[in-house]
């Protein structure tokens, strides 16, 4: 039986993952902002800690409390997060800081606090839920994309840093999943400024608004895939979830490679002549 630490189990992907983990006979230490236990998780092998990811002291306290009780964590999943959508020009410092606090700094703090305990355990797996926006960003998501790119980069470098300690790392980039993610209670929308962005950011936000609760991705299917993949012999460093995300990320990689090759002769001009 494995033990999972999962942030943001109140709803959405985190809740679906916690349910799947419990159904599989594993146990969960989950966090919710309110400290409440979602109805479908009550009476099961789950312990809930109240955690708002913007609370720096509390973040450290929760992680230390979990491990100080001698608990083993086999899978540590940074799931809690949200999207900030809108134009860069109209975003505020407060919006930007809040986004990075929740989507980047808190997951890094959680990992940093957990690492000494995970090292002592000998084997564990860290999972960061990123986004298709972190690998193939679309218009209107520049700030959210920058946060999720940060988490992707963090994951890739961290994996190389901790592999020899028996700690695995996987960054999981979901496409559009049918959760509350695009609802006003989750996503935050910076203004689209003026008419200058009507046809770009404005149009993209209209499309995203129409996709709310109609998304292609099934959170329960995602949860099963995450569970099975992480328990497989050799989990990937970067996993994509959803055919929409796969198409977009494949396209971005092809563009990146094409540009890299087209500009290769320029790129190599900066080396010292040997
Ligand atoms: N669904 C998608 O299409 C999609 C696509 C790509 C990536 N993702 C990523 O998947 C993860 C889960 O999102 P979701 O789709 O399940 O969205 P969701 O239904 O809106 O759930 C978001 C979860 O994050 C928690 N959360 C948000 N801000 C928090 C904060 N300040 N402190 C603590 N918890 C906080 C929420 O808690 P409360 O209930 O207290 O708000 C909730 O548990 C996020 O990291 C998101 O960026 C989702």
């Amino acid at each position: 039986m494995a033990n999972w630490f999962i942030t943001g189990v109140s709803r959405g992907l985190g809740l679906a993952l916690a349910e799947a983990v419990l159904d599989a006979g594993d146990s969960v230490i989950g966090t919710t902002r309110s400290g409440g236990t979602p109805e479908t998780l009550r009476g099961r092998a789950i312990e809930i800690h109240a955690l708002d990811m913007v609370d720096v002291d509390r973040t450290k306290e929760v992680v230390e409390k979990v491990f100080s009780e001698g608990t083993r964590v086999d899978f540590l999943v940074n799931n809690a997060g949200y999207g900030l959508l809108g134009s860069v020009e109209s975003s505020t410092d407060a919006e930007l800081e809040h986004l990075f606090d929740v989507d980047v700094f808190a997951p890094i703090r959680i990992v940093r606090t957990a690492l000494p305990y995970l090292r002592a355990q000998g084997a564990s797996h860290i999972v960061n839920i990123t986004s298709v926006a972190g690998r193939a960003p679309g218009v209107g998501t520049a700030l959210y994309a920058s946060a999720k790119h940060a988490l992707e980069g963090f994951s890739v470098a961290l994996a190389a840093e901790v592999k020899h300690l028996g700690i695995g790392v996987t960054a999981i980039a979901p496409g559009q999943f049918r959760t509350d993610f695009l609802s006003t209670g989750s996503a935050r929308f910076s203004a689209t400024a003026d008419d200058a962005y009507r046809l770009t950011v404005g149009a993209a936000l209209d499309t995203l608004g129409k996709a709310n609760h109609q998304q292609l991705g099934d959170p329960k299917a995602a949860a099963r895939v995450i569970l099975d993949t992480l328990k497989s012999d050799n989990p990937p460093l970067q996993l994509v979830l959803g055919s929409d995300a796969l198409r977009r990320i494949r396209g971005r990689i092809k563009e990146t490679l094409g540009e890299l090759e087209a500009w290769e002769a320029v790129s190599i001009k900066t080396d010292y002549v040997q």
Side-chain angles (χ1 to χ4, degrees):
M1 191 191 85
N3 196 26
W4 296 62
F5 177 87
I6 309 171
T7 61
V9 298
S10 60
R11 54 199 171 117
L13 289 172
L15 177 59
L17 181 59
E19 287 169 351
V21 164
L22 293 170
D23 288 348
D26 288 351
S27 55
V28 176
I29 298 163
T31 74
T32 60
R33 225 184 317 201
S34 66
T37 306
E39 205 177 311
T40 54
L41 304 180
R42 284 188 201 145
R44 309 190 68 185
I46 185 162
E47 173 186 313
I48 294 287
H49 295 263
L51 177 63
D52 187 322
M53 305 281 277
V54 296
D55 187 335
V56 177
D57 293 340
R58 178 70 186 153
T59 304
K60 195 163 176 269
E61 186 184 297
V62 166
V63 176
E64 282 185 339
K65 188 169 190 310
V66 166
F67 287 102
S68 68
E69 287 164 358
T71 309
R72 185 187 165 82
V73 172
D74 301 289
F75 299 98
L76 186 158
V77 185
N78 274 312
N79 162 74
Y82 73 95
L84 174 61
L85 308 170
S87 74
V88 173
E89 195 176 310
S90 57
S91 65
T92 65
D93 277 350
E95 287 172 335
L96 193 55
E97 281 162 20
H98 191 274
L99 178 76
F100 271 72
D101 275 343
V102 175
D103 284 11
V104 184
F105 301 144
I108 293 175
R109 283 189 190 110
I110 287 171
V111 168
R112 191 179 57 194
T113 310
L115 274 174
Y117 302 100
L118 297 179
R119 276 199 289 118
Q121 276 181 201
S124 59
H125 206 95
I126 294 167
V127 182
N128 293 317
I129 305 294
T130 63
S131 168
V132 60
R135 297 187 60 186
V139 68
T141 70
L143 302 172
Y144 178 59
S146 60
K148 292 298 191 177
H149 267 78
L151 205 50
E152 282 279 338
F154 170 71
S155 306
V156 172
L158 176 71
E161 185 173 319
V162 298
K163 188 176 180 193
H164 69 292
L165 302 170
I167 303 171
V169 179
T170 298
I172 299 183
Q176 293 196 343
F177 277 80
R178 209 170 293 179
T179 66
D180 291 338
F181 181 75
L182 291 172
S183 306
T184 44
S186 289
R188 295 177 180 219
F189 297 88
S190 61
T192 43
D194 53 34
D195 232 24
Y197 299 103
R198 191 172 51 84
L199 296 177
T200 53
V201 177
L205 294 198
D206 284 348
T207 305
L208 285 173
K210 286 181 190 132
N212 191 16
H213 291 131
Q214 305 293 324
Q215 293 98 326
L216 185 64
D218 174 358
K220 286 186 188 297
R224 282 192 300 271
V225 166
I226 293 172
L227 184 71
D228 290 347
T229 305
L230 293 176
K231 289 205 166 181
S232 67
D233 288 343
N234 193 15
L237 173 58
Q238 291 172 292
L239 178 69
V240 174
L241 295 183
S243 60
D244 55 340
L246 195 67
R247 192 173 53 250
R248 271 175 54 185
I249 293 170
R250 182 176 279 136
R252 185 82 272 275
I253 289 170
K254 280 185 183 163
E255 283 168 11
T256 303
L257 196 58
E259 194 169 70
L260 198 78
E261 284 166 355
W263 288 85
E264 184 172 351
V266 173
S267 299
I268 60 171
K269 279 183 182 168
T270 57
D271 296 354
Y272 280 111
V273 179
Q274 304 284 0

